[in-house]
Amino acid sequence: MPSSQDPGSTIWFSLSIDGESLGYFNGCEGLSSEVEIEHHQEGGNNGFVWALPTRVTFSTIRLTRPLTPDTAKVAKWISSVQTGITRPTAQIAALRADGSEVASWGLIDVLPVRWTGPTLDPASPAVATEVLEIVHHGFTN
């Protein structure tokens, strides 16, 4: 990977949708799942209450990075939702600075739900960043 693509952190993340790279991100949050539980009291059993799993829910994932030329790839993917919803698979990989993979997560039925672009204010010299939020129906691995 060229050093010009490195977002400047020790761990960074790559995102690909159906094998097509959307670039590298230096922040990723929301890689989580939760099993919803239904409690059931059984007559005659006073020792415990049954905790039964009902469904699994998955959090919205937020990916952040400084503005890069790969922003155009994100815009193209979001625009494709307007012409018909297809829910592709995605791959998020956590990478070290040398490009070696620490861990990866496959996502099923991914959909972009929000993109927030940079605030461009000459009075505030902060780094121009973007945030991409995606939802999914589960992990593949």
mmCIF file of all heavy atoms in Angstrom, residues 48-83:
data_model
loop_
_atom_site.group_PDB
_atom_site.id
_atom_site.type_symbol
_atom_site.label_atom_id
_atom_site.label_comp_id
_atom_site.label_asym_id
_atom_site.label_seq_id
_atom_site.Cartn_x
_atom_site.Cartn_y
_atom_site.Cartn_z
ATOM 1 N N PHE A 48 -34.736 -20.213 39.447
ATOM 2 C CA PHE A 48 -34.226 -19.311 38.418
ATOM 3 C C PHE A 48 -35.333 -18.987 37.431
ATOM 4 O O PHE A 48 -36.382 -19.624 37.405
ATOM 5 C CB PHE A 48 -33.024 -19.928 37.670
ATOM 6 C CG PHE A 48 -33.347 -21.161 36.888
ATOM 7 C CD1 PHE A 48 -33.723 -21.081 35.557
ATOM 8 C CD2 PHE A 48 -33.283 -22.426 37.479
ATOM 9 C CE1 PHE A 48 -34.025 -22.213 34.828
ATOM 10 C CE2 PHE A 48 -33.583 -23.562 36.759
ATOM 11 C CZ PHE A 48 -33.955 -23.464 35.429
ATOM 12 N N VAL A 49 -35.082 -17.990 36.607
ATOM 13 C CA VAL A 49 -35.970 -17.609 35.514
ATOM 14 C C VAL A 49 -35.243 -17.943 34.220
ATOM 15 O O VAL A 49 -34.071 -17.603 34.051
ATOM 16 C CB VAL A 49 -36.306 -16.100 35.586
ATOM 17 C CG1 VAL A 49 -37.130 -15.669 34.386
ATOM 18 C CG2 VAL A 49 -37.033 -15.777 36.891
ATOM 19 N N TRP A 50 -35.928 -18.626 33.300
ATOM 20 C CA TRP A 50 -35.319 -18.964 32.014
ATOM 21 C C TRP A 50 -34.979 -17.689 31.243
ATOM 22 O O TRP A 50 -35.784 -16.770 31.168
ATOM 23 C CB TRP A 50 -36.273 -19.807 31.165
ATOM 24 C CG TRP A 50 -36.430 -21.208 31.647
ATOM 25 C CD1 TRP A 50 -37.459 -21.709 32.389
ATOM 26 C CD2 TRP A 50 -35.537 -22.295 31.434
ATOM 27 N NE1 TRP A 50 -37.265 -23.038 32.657
ATOM 28 C CE2 TRP A 50 -36.089 -23.430 32.075
ATOM 29 C CE3 TRP A 50 -34.322 -22.427 30.773
ATOM 30 C CZ2 TRP A 50 -35.467 -24.660 32.063
ATOM 31 C CZ3 TRP A 50 -33.715 -23.664 30.751
ATOM 32 C CH2 TRP A 50 -34.276 -24.769 31.392
ATOM 33 N N ALA A 51 -33.807 -17.633 30.659
ATOM 34 C CA ALA A 51 -33.398 -16.559 29.760
ATOM 35 C C ALA A 51 -33.246 -17.178 28.372
ATOM 36 O O ALA A 51 -32.311 -17.926 28.107
ATOM 37 C CB ALA A 51 -32.081 -15.937 30.213
ATOM 38 N N LEU A 52 -34.214 -16.902 27.489
ATOM 39 C CA LEU A 52 -34.265 -17.530 26.169
ATOM 40 C C LEU A 52 -33.871 -16.525 25.084
ATOM 41 O O LEU A 52 -34.393 -15.408 25.055
ATOM 42 C CB LEU A 52 -35.677 -18.059 25.902
ATOM 43 C CG LEU A 52 -36.232 -19.008 26.970
ATOM 44 C CD1 LEU A 52 -37.694 -19.309 26.706
ATOM 45 C CD2 LEU A 52 -35.413 -20.285 27.019
ATOM 46 N N PRO A 53 -32.984 -16.917 24.184
ATOM 47 C CA PRO A 53 -32.599 -16.000 23.101
ATOM 48 C C PRO A 53 -33.743 -15.847 22.100
ATOM 49 O O PRO A 53 -34.446 -16.813 21.796
ATOM 50 C CB PRO A 53 -31.397 -16.693 22.464
ATOM 51 C CG PRO A 53 -31.592 -18.137 22.780
ATOM 52 C CD PRO A 53 -32.303 -18.198 24.098
ATOM 53 N N THR A 54 -33.951 -14.595 21.614
ATOM 54 C CA THR A 54 -35.011 -14.374 20.627
ATOM 55 C C THR A 54 -34.445 -13.959 19.276
ATOM 56 O O THR A 54 -34.685 -14.609 18.290
ATOM 57 C CB THR A 54 -36.014 -13.310 21.120
ATOM 58 O OG1 THR A 54 -35.333 -12.091 21.375
ATOM 59 C CG2 THR A 54 -36.725 -13.780 22.371
ATOM 60 N N ARG A 55 -33.685 -12.890 19.213
ATOM 61 C CA ARG A 55 -33.090 -12.456 17.939
ATOM 62 C C ARG A 55 -31.775 -11.770 18.207
ATOM 63 O O ARG A 55 -31.500 -11.341 19.318
ATOM 64 C CB ARG A 55 -34.037 -11.544 17.167
ATOM 65 C CG ARG A 55 -34.246 -10.190 17.795
ATOM 66 C CD ARG A 55 -35.082 -9.258 16.917
ATOM 67 N NE ARG A 55 -36.302 -9.854 16.480
ATOM 68 C CZ ARG A 55 -37.519 -9.522 16.889
ATOM 69 N NH1 ARG A 55 -37.668 -8.530 17.737
ATOM 70 N NH2 ARG A 55 -38.574 -10.135 16.440
ATOM 71 N N VAL A 56 -30.995 -11.661 17.148
ATOM 72 C CA VAL A 56 -29.709 -10.978 17.227
ATOM 73 C C VAL A 56 -29.836 -9.649 16.494
ATOM 74 O O VAL A 56 -30.364 -9.600 15.380
ATOM 75 C CB VAL A 56 -28.584 -11.830 16.603
ATOM 76 C CG1 VAL A 56 -27.249 -11.108 16.690
ATOM 77 C CG2 VAL A 56 -28.499 -13.188 17.271
ATOM 78 N N THR A 57 -29.370 -8.574 17.119
ATOM 79 C CA THR A 57 -29.354 -7.272 16.463
ATOM 80 C C THR A 57 -27.902 -6.817 16.291
ATOM 81 O O THR A 57 -27.027 -7.219 17.056
ATOM 82 C CB THR A 57 -30.130 -6.211 17.276
ATOM 83 O OG1 THR A 57 -29.564 -6.118 18.587
ATOM 84 C CG2 THR A 57 -31.600 -6.570 17.382
ATOM 85 N N PHE A 58 -27.683 -6.003 15.273
ATOM 86 C CA PHE A 58 -26.339 -5.536 14.933
ATOM 87 C C PHE A 58 -26.330 -4.013 14.909
ATOM 88 O O PHE A 58 -27.249 -3.390 14.391
ATOM 89 C CB PHE A 58 -25.911 -6.096 13.575
ATOM 90 C CG PHE A 58 -25.953 -7.595 13.537
ATOM 91 C CD1 PHE A 58 -27.066 -8.258 13.056
ATOM 92 C CD2 PHE A 58 -24.891 -8.338 14.023
ATOM 93 C CE1 PHE A 58 -27.119 -9.644 13.045
ATOM 94 C CE2 PHE A 58 -24.931 -9.722 14.015
ATOM 95 C CZ PHE A 58 -26.046 -10.377 13.526
ATOM 96 N N SER A 59 -25.290 -3.426 15.450
ATOM 97 C CA SER A 59 -25.164 -1.972 15.531
ATOM 98 C C SER A 59 -24.815 -1.362 14.181
ATOM 99 O O SER A 59 -24.257 -2.029 13.310
ATOM 100 C CB SER A 59 -24.057 -1.588 16.523
ATOM 101 O OG SER A 59 -24.370 -2.044 17.798
ATOM 102 N N THR A 60 -25.124 -0.078 14.063
ATOM 103 C CA THR A 60 -24.670 0.696 12.911
ATOM 104 C C THR A 60 -23.161 0.894 13.046
ATOM 105 O O THR A 60 -22.654 1.175 14.125
ATOM 106 C CB THR A 60 -25.379 2.063 12.882
ATOM 107 O OG1 THR A 60 -26.785 1.844 12.748
ATOM 108 C CG2 THR A 60 -24.879 2.925 11.736
ATOM 109 N N ILE A 61 -22.447 0.717 11.954
ATOM 110 C CA ILE A 61 -20.985 0.868 11.951
ATOM 111 C C ILE A 61 -20.640 2.244 11.405
ATOM 112 O O ILE A 61 -21.152 2.650 10.355
ATOM 113 C CB ILE A 61 -20.324 -0.244 11.108
ATOM 114 C CG1 ILE A 61 -20.630 -1.609 11.728
ATOM 115 C CG2 ILE A 61 -18.819 -0.009 10.982
ATOM 116 C CD1 ILE A 61 -20.201 -2.778 10.875
ATOM 117 N N ARG A 62 -19.777 2.964 12.122
ATOM 118 C CA ARG A 62 -19.310 4.300 11.716
ATOM 119 C C ARG A 62 -17.833 4.225 11.351
ATOM 120 O O ARG A 62 -17.010 3.855 12.186
ATOM 121 C CB ARG A 62 -19.476 5.306 12.850
ATOM 122 C CG ARG A 62 -20.880 5.723 13.142
ATOM 123 C CD ARG A 62 -20.945 6.654 14.358
ATOM 124 N NE ARG A 62 -19.981 7.725 14.316
ATOM 125 C CZ ARG A 62 -20.253 8.987 13.989
ATOM 126 N NH1 ARG A 62 -21.474 9.329 13.697
ATOM 127 N NH2 ARG A 62 -19.301 9.903 13.976
ATOM 128 N N LEU A 63 -17.522 4.594 10.131
ATOM 129 C CA LEU A 63 -16.140 4.641 9.651
ATOM 130 C C LEU A 63 -15.777 6.102 9.403
ATOM 131 O O LEU A 63 -16.533 6.824 8.760
ATOM 132 C CB LEU A 63 -16.004 3.836 8.365
ATOM 133 C CG LEU A 63 -16.294 2.339 8.515
ATOM 134 C CD1 LEU A 63 -16.827 1.753 7.236
ATOM 135 C CD2 LEU A 63 -15.052 1.622 8.967
ATOM 136 N N THR A 64 -14.630 6.527 9.932
ATOM 137 C CA THR A 64 -14.198 7.909 9.773
ATOM 138 C C THR A 64 -12.804 7.958 9.169
ATOM 139 O O THR A 64 -12.005 7.043 9.347
ATOM 140 C CB THR A 64 -14.182 8.650 11.127
ATOM 141 O OG1 THR A 64 -13.311 7.951 12.023
ATOM 142 C CG2 THR A 64 -15.559 8.743 11.736
ATOM 143 N N ARG A 65 -12.539 9.065 8.453
ATOM 144 C CA ARG A 65 -11.210 9.264 7.872
ATOM 145 C C ARG A 65 -11.061 10.699 7.416
ATOM 146 O O ARG A 65 -12.055 11.409 7.198
ATOM 147 C CB ARG A 65 -10.988 8.340 6.676
ATOM 148 C CG ARG A 65 -11.864 8.670 5.472
ATOM 149 C CD ARG A 65 -11.551 7.771 4.317
ATOM 150 N NE ARG A 65 -12.531 7.895 3.249
ATOM 151 C CZ ARG A 65 -12.668 7.020 2.290
ATOM 152 N NH1 ARG A 65 -11.906 5.946 2.245
ATOM 153 N NH2 ARG A 65 -13.566 7.192 1.354
ATOM 154 N N PRO A 66 -9.818 11.127 7.234
ATOM 155 C CA PRO A 66 -9.597 12.411 6.562
ATOM 156 C C PRO A 66 -10.094 12.304 5.124
ATOM 157 O O PRO A 66 -10.102 11.218 4.540
ATOM 158 C CB PRO A 66 -8.076 12.582 6.592
ATOM 159 C CG PRO A 66 -7.604 11.671 7.677
ATOM 160 C CD PRO A 66 -8.575 10.528 7.697
ATOM 161 N N LEU A 67 -10.521 13.395 4.583
ATOM 162 C CA LEU A 67 -11.003 13.430 3.207
ATOM 163 C C LEU A 67 -9.912 12.946 2.251
ATOM 164 O O LEU A 67 -8.759 13.371 2.357
ATOM 165 C CB LEU A 67 -11.400 14.869 2.860
ATOM 166 C CG LEU A 67 -12.413 15.066 1.747
ATOM 167 C CD1 LEU A 67 -13.704 14.344 2.066
ATOM 168 C CD2 LEU A 67 -12.674 16.541 1.560
ATOM 169 N N THR A 68 -10.250 12.014 1.348
ATOM 170 C CA THR A 68 -9.301 11.465 0.380
ATOM 171 C C THR A 68 -9.968 11.382 -0.991
ATOM 172 O O THR A 68 -11.190 11.537 -1.098
ATOM 173 C CB THR A 68 -8.845 10.033 0.777
ATOM 174 O OG1 THR A 68 -9.925 9.129 0.545
ATOM 175 C CG2 THR A 68 -8.393 9.963 2.219
ATOM 176 N N PRO A 69 -9.217 11.080 -2.033
ATOM 177 C CA PRO A 69 -9.838 10.858 -3.342
ATOM 178 C C PRO A 69 -10.827 9.686 -3.349
ATOM 179 O O PRO A 69 -11.697 9.616 -4.213
ATOM 180 C CB PRO A 69 -8.635 10.572 -4.259
ATOM 181 C CG PRO A 69 -7.495 11.271 -3.599
ATOM 182 C CD PRO A 69 -7.752 11.128 -2.119
ATOM 183 N N ASP A 70 -10.722 8.765 -2.374
ATOM 184 C CA ASP A 70 -11.654 7.634 -2.298
ATOM 185 C C ASP A 70 -13.058 8.065 -1.899
ATOM 186 O O ASP A 70 -13.996 7.265 -1.969
ATOM 187 C CB ASP A 70 -11.138 6.581 -1.315
ATOM 188 C CG ASP A 70 -9.946 5.824 -1.859
ATOM 189 O OD1 ASP A 70 -9.876 5.636 -3.096
ATOM 190 O OD2 ASP A 70 -9.082 5.413 -1.060
ATOM 191 N N THR A 71 -13.237 9.323 -1.502
ATOM 192 C CA THR A 71 -14.565 9.834 -1.188
ATOM 193 C C THR A 71 -15.499 9.663 -2.383
ATOM 194 O O THR A 71 -16.682 9.389 -2.212
ATOM 195 C CB THR A 71 -14.480 11.313 -0.764
ATOM 196 O OG1 THR A 71 -13.697 11.376 0.423
ATOM 197 C CG2 THR A 71 -15.843 11.900 -0.491
ATOM 198 N N ALA A 72 -14.972 9.803 -3.580
ATOM 199 C CA ALA A 72 -15.790 9.638 -4.789
ATOM 200 C C ALA A 72 -16.349 8.223 -4.886
ATOM 201 O O ALA A 72 -17.471 8.020 -5.367
ATOM 202 C CB ALA A 72 -14.962 9.972 -6.029
ATOM 203 N N LYS A 73 -15.597 7.219 -4.431
ATOM 204 C CA LYS A 73 -16.088 5.840 -4.449
ATOM 205 C C LYS A 73 -17.264 5.669 -3.501
ATOM 206 O O LYS A 73 -18.220 4.961 -3.802
ATOM 207 C CB LYS A 73 -14.968 4.869 -4.071
ATOM 208 C CG LYS A 73 -13.825 4.814 -5.061
ATOM 209 C CD LYS A 73 -12.731 3.894 -4.557
ATOM 210 C CE LYS A 73 -11.534 3.870 -5.472
ATOM 211 N NZ LYS A 73 -10.465 3.013 -4.942
ATOM 212 N N VAL A 74 -17.183 6.316 -2.342
ATOM 213 C CA VAL A 74 -18.284 6.255 -1.371
ATOM 214 C C VAL A 74 -19.518 6.925 -1.960
ATOM 215 O O VAL A 74 -20.632 6.392 -1.878
ATOM 216 C CB VAL A 74 -17.870 6.909 -0.031
ATOM 217 C CG1 VAL A 74 -19.056 7.019 0.913
ATOM 218 C CG2 VAL A 74 -16.736 6.122 0.624
ATOM 219 N N ALA A 75 -19.353 8.088 -2.582
ATOM 220 C CA ALA A 75 -20.474 8.799 -3.190
ATOM 221 C C ALA A 75 -21.134 7.958 -4.279
ATOM 222 O O ALA A 75 -22.366 7.914 -4.385
ATOM 223 C CB ALA A 75 -20.001 10.136 -3.754
ATOM 224 N N LYS A 76 -20.330 7.262 -5.070
ATOM 225 C CA LYS A 76 -20.865 6.397 -6.136
ATOM 226 C C LYS A 76 -21.691 5.274 -5.540
ATOM 227 O O LYS A 76 -22.772 4.952 -6.046
ATOM 228 C CB LYS A 76 -19.709 5.842 -6.970
ATOM 229 C CG LYS A 76 -20.154 4.953 -8.102
ATOM 230 C CD LYS A 76 -18.959 4.438 -8.884
ATOM 231 C CE LYS A 76 -19.406 3.453 -9.943
ATOM 232 N NZ LYS A 76 -18.267 2.842 -10.643
ATOM 233 N N TRP A 77 -21.205 4.660 -4.448
ATOM 234 C CA TRP A 77 -21.946 3.571 -3.811
ATOM 235 C C TRP A 77 -23.271 4.087 -3.248
ATOM 236 O O TRP A 77 -24.319 3.476 -3.439
ATOM 237 C CB TRP A 77 -21.092 2.920 -2.725
ATOM 238 C CG TRP A 77 -21.780 1.789 -2.014
ATOM 239 C CD1 TRP A 77 -22.534 0.791 -2.580
ATOM 240 C CD2 TRP A 77 -21.776 1.527 -0.613
ATOM 241 N NE1 TRP A 77 -22.990 -0.067 -1.608
ATOM 242 C CE2 TRP A 77 -22.539 0.363 -0.396
ATOM 243 C CE3 TRP A 77 -21.199 2.166 0.472
ATOM 244 C CZ2 TRP A 77 -22.739 -0.176 0.869
ATOM 245 C CZ3 TRP A 77 -21.394 1.622 1.731
ATOM 246 C CH2 TRP A 77 -22.154 0.465 1.921
ATOM 247 N N ILE A 78 -23.240 5.232 -2.570
ATOM 248 C CA ILE A 78 -24.467 5.789 -2.008
ATOM 249 C C ILE A 78 -25.451 6.145 -3.117
ATOM 250 O O ILE A 78 -26.651 5.894 -3.003
ATOM 251 C CB ILE A 78 -24.147 7.009 -1.118
ATOM 252 C CG1 ILE A 78 -23.388 6.546 0.127
ATOM 253 C CG2 ILE A 78 -25.414 7.753 -0.738
ATOM 254 C CD1 ILE A 78 -22.815 7.665 0.968
ATOM 255 N N SER A 79 -24.966 6.699 -4.222
ATOM 256 C CA SER A 79 -25.836 7.042 -5.355
ATOM 257 C C SER A 79 -26.498 5.807 -5.958
ATOM 258 O O SER A 79 -27.610 5.880 -6.463
ATOM 259 C CB SER A 79 -25.048 7.772 -6.434
ATOM 260 O OG SER A 79 -24.620 9.015 -5.952
ATOM 261 N N SER A 80 -25.818 4.667 -5.902
ATOM 262 C CA SER A 80 -26.383 3.443 -6.483
ATOM 263 C C SER A 80 -27.637 2.985 -5.746
ATOM 264 O O SER A 80 -28.464 2.276 -6.309
ATOM 265 C CB SER A 80 -25.334 2.322 -6.492
ATOM 266 O OG SER A 80 -25.123 1.818 -5.182
ATOM 267 N N VAL A 81 -27.816 3.401 -4.500
ATOM 268 C CA VAL A 81 -29.004 3.033 -3.731
ATOM 269 C C VAL A 81 -30.248 3.658 -4.351
ATOM 270 O O VAL A 81 -31.335 3.084 -4.303
ATOM 271 C CB VAL A 81 -28.845 3.455 -2.249
ATOM 272 C CG1 VAL A 81 -30.116 3.245 -1.463
ATOM 273 C CG2 VAL A 81 -27.696 2.700 -1.613
ATOM 274 N N GLN A 82 -30.110 4.823 -4.976
ATOM 275 C CA GLN A 82 -31.242 5.514 -5.589
ATOM 276 C C GLN A 82 -31.794 4.770 -6.797
ATOM 277 O O GLN A 82 -32.953 4.937 -7.147
ATOM 278 C CB GLN A 82 -30.832 6.918 -6.008
ATOM 279 C CG GLN A 82 -30.428 7.800 -4.846
ATOM 280 C CD GLN A 82 -29.869 9.131 -5.308
ATOM 281 O OE1 GLN A 82 -29.836 9.441 -6.490
ATOM 282 N NE2 GLN A 82 -29.410 9.934 -4.361
ATOM 283 N N THR A 83 -30.990 3.958 -7.437
ATOM 284 C CA THR A 83 -31.427 3.255 -8.641
ATOM 285 C C THR A 83 -31.906 1.836 -8.352
ATOM 286 O O THR A 83 -32.193 1.086 -9.267
ATOM 287 C CB THR A 83 -30.295 3.211 -9.687
ATOM 288 O OG1 THR A 83 -29.165 2.536 -9.120
ATOM 289 C CG2 THR A 83 -29.895 4.605 -10.114
#
